């Protein structure tokens, strides 16, 4: 018995189509009620097909993002917005520059806040989420360490937005995009597990064999701090959208 509903799709494109449809319906339903939609977004390879689908919804089916407010999960410490590997750049290239979201509705932790100001910056990020009405829907990938956002092993279930050190496995996985391990930042600012769990709806996506073992642990292991994604078992409205390869370790 899976504790979290798992949807296994033939391809990642099929999963992305389904999730984009759900997102578009949420945006349109809220818009009809005169409400904004608050999305929590992820970076990395995983959500790229989903962002492609959202762009299609905008360009081909007229879906407007003018009533959408976005909060991203994380940003690398030390990278300015213009840095090619910053998540600010990633989100603009993969999604924001292709849709009609208003710049003032885009929120991401800053990678260049002075160390002494990080706690206040993180507190303000949490407050901004609350002021927006909370996260309607949080999109997640999963790291091979079981991280959601950059909540590496040991992150408490009630953790909030804060600075964290990146696990060596996470840095190794990022080395390719950074052109070498030495270039990968050692820390980041991330929403906490508690921030993520406060979302009304959560969908975690995962593709490929490299995620199969950690997906099995997150779904079937005990809820514990060595796999942050296992905390999602405690959330009442989480689904996993995965492809057959990522499902290959499930019994
Ligand atoms: C990204 C994030 C991470 C990634 C995870 C998977 O904002 O917070 O948790 O979702 O590292 O990365 P990919 O998708 O590149 O395998």
């Amino acid at each position: 018995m899976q504790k979290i509903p798992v949807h296994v799709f033939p391809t990642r494109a099929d999963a992305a189509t389904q999730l984009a449809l759900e997102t578009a319906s949420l945006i349109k339903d809220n818009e009809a009620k005169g409400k904004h939609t608050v999305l929590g977004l992820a970076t990395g390879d995983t959500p790229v097909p989903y962002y492609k689908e959202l762009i299609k919804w905008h360009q081909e089916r007229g879906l407007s993002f003018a009533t959408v407010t976005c909060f991203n999960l994380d940003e690398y410490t030390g990278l300015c917005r213009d840095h090619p590997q910053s998540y600010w750049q990633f989100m603009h290239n993969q999604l924001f520059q292709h849709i009609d979201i208003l710049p003032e509705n885009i929120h991401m932790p800053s990678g260049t806040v002075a160390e002494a100001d990080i706690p206040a910056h993180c507190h303000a990020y949490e407050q901004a989420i609350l002021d927006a009405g909370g996260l309607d829907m949080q999109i997640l990938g999963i790291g091979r360490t079981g991280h959601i956002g950059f909540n590496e092993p040991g992150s408490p279930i009630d953790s909030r937005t804060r600075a964290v050190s990146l696990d060596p496995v996470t840095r190794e996985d990022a080395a390719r995009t950074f052109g070498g391990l030495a270039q990968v930042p050692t820390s980041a600012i991330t929403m906490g597990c508690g921030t993520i769990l406060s979302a009304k709806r959560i969908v975690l996506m995962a593709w490929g064999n490299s995620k199969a073992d950690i997906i099995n642990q997150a779904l079937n292991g005990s809820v514990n701090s060595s796999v942050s994604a296992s905390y999602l078992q405690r959330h009442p409205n989480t689904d996993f959208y995965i492809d057959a390869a990522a499902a290959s370790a499930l019994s």
Side-chain angles (χ1 to χ4, degrees):
M1 277 275 280
Q2 306 290 352
K3 295 166 224 164
I4 295 174
V6 183
H7 307 258
V8 182
F9 292 87
T11 68
R12 59 189 75 181
D14 295 313
T17 302
Q18 179 62 33
L19 185 54
L21 176 66
E22 179 178 342
T23 311
S25 304
L26 178 69
I27 294 169
K28 287 193 275 185
D29 287 354
N30 281 338
E31 198 184 323
K33 293 180 207 146
K35 283 173 54 186
H36 261 242
T37 299
V38 184
L39 298 180
L41 298 179
T43 55
D45 288 339
T46 306
V48 170
Y50 166 65
Y51 295 148
K52 284 203 167 81
E53 277 300 313
L54 290 183
I55 293 166
K56 261 201 222 165
W57 267 95
H58 175 64
Q59 293 179 345
E60 296 171 18
R61 290 170 224 163
L63 178 71
S64 174
F65 289 78
T67 58
V68 174
T69 301
C70 289
F71 289 88
N72 261 82
L73 283 165
D74 37 28
E75 179 59 281
Y76 289 111
T77 306
L79 300 196
C80 64
R81 285 180 171 184
D82 292 339
H83 192 286
Q85 263 74 48
S86 76
Y87 283 163
W88 178 270
Q89 284 297 316
F90 177 94
M91 286 308 300
H92 283 76
N93 293 338
Q94 298 295 333
L95 180 65
F96 296 148
Q97 72 184 31
H98 308 287
I99 59 176
D100 62 342
I101 188 166
L102 303 175
E104 61 267 34
N105 291 338
I106 295 171
H107 302 271
M108 300 185 63
S110 168
T112 54
V113 171
E115 206 175 328
D117 298 331
I118 288 178
H121 179 69
C122 294
H123 182 76
Y125 202 68
E126 290 280 331
Q127 191 59 49
I129 295 172
L130 289 177
D131 292 347
L135 300 165
D136 290 313
M137 189 182 201
Q138 176 65 56
I139 305 303
L140 296 174
I142 184 170
R144 286 193 299 138
T145 60
H147 71 213
I148 47 176
F150 275 139
N151 292 285
E152 301 288 19
S155 297
I157 192 166
D158 59 355
S159 50
R160 292 282 161 179
T161 303
R162 67 204 188 290
V164 292
S165 295
L166 297 175
D167 190 277
V169 172
T170 299
R171 293 189 65 241
E172 206 178 284
D173 285 348
R176 185 179 44 86
T177 39
F178 276 87
L181 187 60
Q183 279 77 257
V184 182
T186 54
S187 58
I189 293 181
T190 183
M191 279 187 200
C193 297
T195 323
I196 293 167
L197 291 170
S198 72
K200 296 175 189 91
R201 165 89 173 127
I202 300 175
V203 179
L204 183 148
M205 293 178 280
W207 328 125
N209 278 313
S210 66
K211 301 290 173 75
D213 179 50
I214 198 67
I215 282 290
N216 186 36
Q217 288 184 51
L219 287 167
N220 296 320
S222 63
V223 176
N224 74 94
S225 68
S226 58
V227 178
S228 293
S230 70
Y231 294 148
L232 297 168
Q233 295 177 28
R234 294 269 167 86
H235 188 269
N237 191 15
T238 291
D239 284 43
F240 279 23
Y241 284 14
I242 63 180
D243 67 2
S248 59
L250 301 177
S251 48

